[in-house]
Amino acid sequence: MLTFQNIILKLQQFWQKQGCILLHASDIEVGAGTLNKHTFLRVLGSEPWKAAYVEPCRRPTDGRYGKNQNRLQHYYQFQVILKPFPQNIQDIYINSLKNIGLTPRLWDLQFLEDNWEHPALGATGLGWEVWCHGMEITQFTYFQQCGSIEINTPVCEITYGLERIAMCIQNVTNIFDIVWASSNLTKITYGEIHKQDEIQWSFHNFKIADINICFHHFDNYKKQATTLLENNLPIPAYDYILKCSHLFNILDARKAISHNDRHFLISEIRHLAQKCAEAYLKSKQQFNFTMEINPYESCS
Amino acid sequence: MNLVVEIGCEEIPPSDVKISKKFLSTFVPKEIQLNALCFQKIDIYTTTRRIIILIQNITRQNSYNTFTGPVITASFNASFSLSSIGFSFFSNKQLPLEQSFISRAHQSFLSGYLFFYLNPIENTLISIILKSLSKIPFNSSMFWNESKIKFVRPIIWIACLLNNKILPFKFANILSSNFSRGHRLLSSNPRQIKESNYLSFLNENHILIKSEERKSRILSRSKKLSRSVNGKLSRNKKLENILSNLSESPWPILGSFHKKYLKIPHEILSYEIELKQKCLKIVSKSNHLLPFFLIISSLKPQNTKKIIIGYENILQARFQDGLFYFQEDILNNFLITSSDSSLQAIALKISKEFSYHKLNLLTHACILCKADLKTFIIDEFPELQGIIGGIYSKYLKIHYAISNAIYEHYLPKFINDEFPKTKLGIILSLADKLQVLYKFPIPKTNIDPFGVRKSTINFIKILLYYYVPINLKDILEEDILYFFLLRIKHLLAEKYPILLTENFFHTQNNNISNAFLVIQLTLRSNLSSLTAIYKRIKNILQQSILTSPTTLNYTTLIEKKIFIILHKISNEKQYDKKILLLITLKPYIDLFFNTTIILAQNTFIQRTRLSLLMNVYNEINNIIHPHILK
């Protein structure tokens, strides 16, 4: 049986063989692997980019005080980003599942239409949710827009839900029973590592987080992002936009945002993200894209 | 010659599976005929992974095809060269202007000829295939390679055989071949096919190409499984259609969940089962939800147990979530609302028009009507807006009139949706829609992020439905009034092709409440019978020789009555009242036709009756636009 950490290792090995560079998670709270700058900013422009990384994600509204068997406010995604992508990318993806033990004939795999979008960051894509026995295990997306900018070079994003895949492979019904690591004598479960976090953060997200402080920080981060953009520094500005996005999610979980304010705040973040994407693209053009690493050369 | 075309795709969304079949079923035969080919049979099949065109016995019908264009006088200019009209005929029909056509006067019309004898049938077929593929109106399309050609999802393979020989062409950089693939879960390896064994190849590989066949398998097996647990399948045609286009070989399996979850509002359970998990529900004979559901697997599984456990676990987690939302919302979210004074003010104003006096209920309803927007359940299922507000307020034992009004105030949500029924619901619904008009800017372009147009149209629809003698001038401000009138105009033009537009608005600008009266009454009157009368009179008049009578000789009471009403109509200056009078005239005309011989032997009587009909005809023509009557 593959442990949680072995699933990650196997996926990393698989995608490394496909020419992806293995990167690391963002050091700022993000709601999805897409928001990591290795995806959000790198998909802009025409130069090739192939990367894979594990992203810890935070979605405050999804917290369930550790009581739900497959819902968490903090979980892990394995993110693969390919620009451009090979013709047989779906087959490659299915092979990656076979590689971790999900054989299509034995597991009822289904591709269900799910045209993904992230309104706050002006990102949209066409694609599917991949279901295994009725459980969504992957989001498979062809990017169409990012930071409200049309994507001109085909980009494929594959986001594996690691916990759900582990649940399928390890045949456990409760997320906290997933075996994270094991040796001959001992094993450590997902619950032992994360359950307390889930309980405490759920309290924070739903009941304790100070709404005024959050709004105050939101305004400050927004100001900072604006200043950075005015100084033509889109990369640090993007970090502050992510902070705004996360605060918005906490305020949302605290039910502190009215229906109309919601639209307004989302449009504010989207506006900043658009400016940031434009500035980033412009800065790359200024350097004639020479600041980019060529992933084909960097991977043997 | 027999043709097989198979476009192999990454999973096509169910709605696009349907769209592509509908489009190709009409487009391909039309194109084939336009290209002077004939065929014995065309079959179009679409599944989630392939688009198939099968044509039997294709032959060249003629060596050319003729297209009739505009009249000769318009087709040429003074110097006898082709005019812009003539040119556009050739370009619209895509007729090659230089080489393969001649044009000549043919019965005063310009004719274009497309000659095929230089063009082999293979080339014609390729151009038809390429044109058909590029014109499918998918909901959304994407490009995925340097070709920049857009298609619903990336194409993986193209198999194209004409009598077992590959018909070579490229679409989106994919070269056609004689290779196909089987079911996604069985094998992804390309397999060689022949035109003669193509259908048996699909059959052997568990591909059901007919959507009816897929649906029939889902239904028959689901019904059987439902009976096995003393229940019946809860029909959901929309979902059934989606499921039949979601996999190439669907296979229903029975799953169950714990009875304890039945205490969650069934609307929530239904959303989880049907919308989120794409499963079918099973209900008792008395239509109560049973703790069973039907999984539609993408292939008859080797290990059913594993799939059932997977679905049951995920559904159980979703139900736990539903329970969590329900408890959290009831305890914390639903009743914590901020009172919106502007909505109350509008609602109070409208309530006066309805003579509604239970103001405490109205105020409470205004406070609670948007409370569901703050609930978890609406975050998860936005479609439950209103429904869940009604359920929660019932659960919290809030006055039933308020519960109903909360549910009703979102109505109508879509075209042909129901209207609010209770007085409180109608007032709240109107106030809610009007508030959108007040609160958000009037859209100047097609972009309408706050749904101002939709709210206005629904506001008008409710007024029309109930004939509310509301004085809109008291409620609407000048700039909104104009926007409102425009919406009425569009609504009439698009939805209710009844009234003429320009005249109507010129005469009605000063009195909008009357405008509504007119629309309402006219909508309710039977336009088709008024049109039938109009046509009948027109036919009689066309067949008769009309001469003005020197004296009017009304011999029956009914003729006199019609004459009096006609007189009133012509003297009436207000347009709405004219319409009312015209409607009152209708039964008398019917009676006149049923009891009177129009073409009486007595010439004077005949002339009088024809003249009377002529007057009726003219009045209808004056009041209702002839275009509408057509």
Side-chain angles (χ1 to χ4, degrees), chain A residues 64 68-71 87 90-91 105-106 108 110 113 115 128 131 134 142 152 173 255 260, chain B residues 10-11 13 143 148 153 155 174 181 184 276-277 296 298 302 313-314 317 321 325 374 379 439:
Chain A
R64 294 292 179 268
N68 191 293
Q69 62 194 41
N70 80 344
R71 202 147 187 183
Q87 172 81 16
Q90 252 194 344
D91 288 342
R105 182 67 184 98
L106 302 174
D108 188 38
Q110 290 189 333
E113 180 194 14
N115 297 333
W128 310 270
W131 282 15
Y142 296 117
N152 289 320
T173 55
K255 298 277 164 204
N260 296 332
Chain B
E10 294 183 1
E11 276 71 2
F143 72 91
K148 298 271 175 188
R153 290 291 185 276
I155 295 173
I174 315 282
R181 294 188 190 201
R184 154 81 70 207
K276 290 285 174 179
Q277 279 313 117
I296 311 300
S298 52
Q302 284 181 345
N313 284 341
I314 192 80
D321 242 10
Y325 296 140
K374 287 196 162 188
D379 283 348
K439 210 164 183 177

Side-chain angles (χ1 to χ4, degrees), chain A residues 61-65 67-71 85 87-91 94 98 104-115 126-129 131-136 140 142 144 151-154 164 168 171-173 206-207 252-253 255 257-260 262-263, chain B residues 10-16 140-145 148 152-156 174 181 184-186 188 246-247 276-278 296-302 306-307 309-311 313-314 316-317 320-321 324-325 328 332-333 373-376 379-380 385 439-440 450:
Chain A
T61 49
D62 285 354
R64 294 292 179 268
Y65 301 93
K67 286 179 187 165
N68 191 293
Q69 62 194 41
N70 80 344
R71 202 147 187 183
F85 54 87
Q87 172 81 16
N88 60 341
I89 182 62
Q90 252 194 344
D91 288 342
I94 288 171
K98 282 182 194 165
R105 182 67 184 98
L106 302 174
W107 300 83
D108 188 38
L109 283 185
Q110 290 189 333
F111 286 75
L112 281 95
E113 180 194 14
D114 184 37
N115 297 333
L126 297 180
W128 310 270
E129 289 175 0
W131 282 15
C132 178
H133 293 177
M135 191 191 295
E136 184 193 348
F140 195 111
Y142 296 117
Q144 303 296 303
I151 301 290
N152 289 320
T153 307
R164 289 176 175 191
C168 283
N171 200 19
V172 293
T173 55
F206 292 126
K207 301 196 191 303
D252 200 24
K255 298 277 164 204
I257 303 170
S258 75
H259 184 59
N260 296 332
R262 189 185 173 82
H263 285 294
Chain B
E10 294 183 1
E11 276 71 2
I12 305 170
S15 57
D16 289 309
S140 49
S141 301
M142 57 173 283
F143 72 91
W144 64 98
N145 59 23
K148 298 271 175 188
V152 60
R153 290 291 185 276
I155 295 173
I156 304 300
I174 315 282
R181 294 188 190 201
R184 154 81 70 207
L185 299 186
L186 289 174
S188 59
L246 204 57
S247 66
K276 290 285 174 179
Q277 279 313 117
K278 305 265 185 295
I296 311 300
S297 161
S298 52
L299 186 68
K300 189 179 177 183
Q302 284 181 345
K306 247 184 172 181
I307 297 182
I309 292 170
Y311 270 89
N313 284 341
I314 192 80
Q316 188 183 322
Q320 273 181 10
D321 242 10
F324 172 84
Y325 296 140
E328 281 287 311
N332 300 322
N333 300 324
L373 293 180
K374 287 196 162 188
T375 60
F376 281 124
D379 283 348
E380 195 68 12
Q385 269 182 42
K439 210 164 183 177
F440 299 109
F450 302 106

Side-chain angles (χ1 to χ4, degrees), chain B residues 341-381:
Chain B
S341 56
S342 72
L343 182 69
Q344 282 179 42
I346 299 167
L348 285 171
K349 233 176 192 180
I350 294 174
S351 69
K352 282 177 196 161
E353 304 280 350
F354 282 81
S355 309
Y356 185 81
H357 303 298
K358 294 175 183 170
L359 300 184
N360 55 337
L361 287 182
L362 182 61
T363 314
H364 200 177
C366 285
I367 293 168
L368 279 182
C369 71
K370 295 292 176 201
D372 60 357
L373 293 180
K374 287 196 162 188
T375 60
F376 281 124
I377 206 85
I378 294 303
D379 283 348
E380 195 68 12
F381 309 120

Side-chain angles (χ1 to χ4, degrees), chain B residues 442-459:
Chain B
I442 288 170
K444 306 278 185 221
T445 62
N446 285 340
I447 301 162
D448 184 14
F450 302 106
V452 175
R453 266 193 206 100
K454 188 182 168 193
S455 292
T456 312
I457 288 170
N458 285 336
F459 185 93

Side-chain angles (χ1 to χ4, degrees), chain A residues 30-31 56-66 70-76 163 175-176 190 194-206 246 250 253:
Chain A
V30 290
C57 306
R58 293 189 192 218
R59 292 192 187 174
T61 49
D62 285 354
R64 294 292 179 268
Y65 301 93
N70 80 344
R71 202 147 187 183
L72 305 168
Q73 56 84 41
H74 175 282
Y75 55 94
Y76 296 91
E163 287 83 352
I175 217 161
F176 297 110
Y190 195 96
H194 281 306
K195 191 159 183 175
Q196 270 307 309
D197 302 24
E198 275 304 307
I199 297 167
Q200 293 192 20
W201 276 105
S202 293
F203 275 103
H204 165 268
N205 299 336
F206 292 126
H246 180 61
I250 292 175

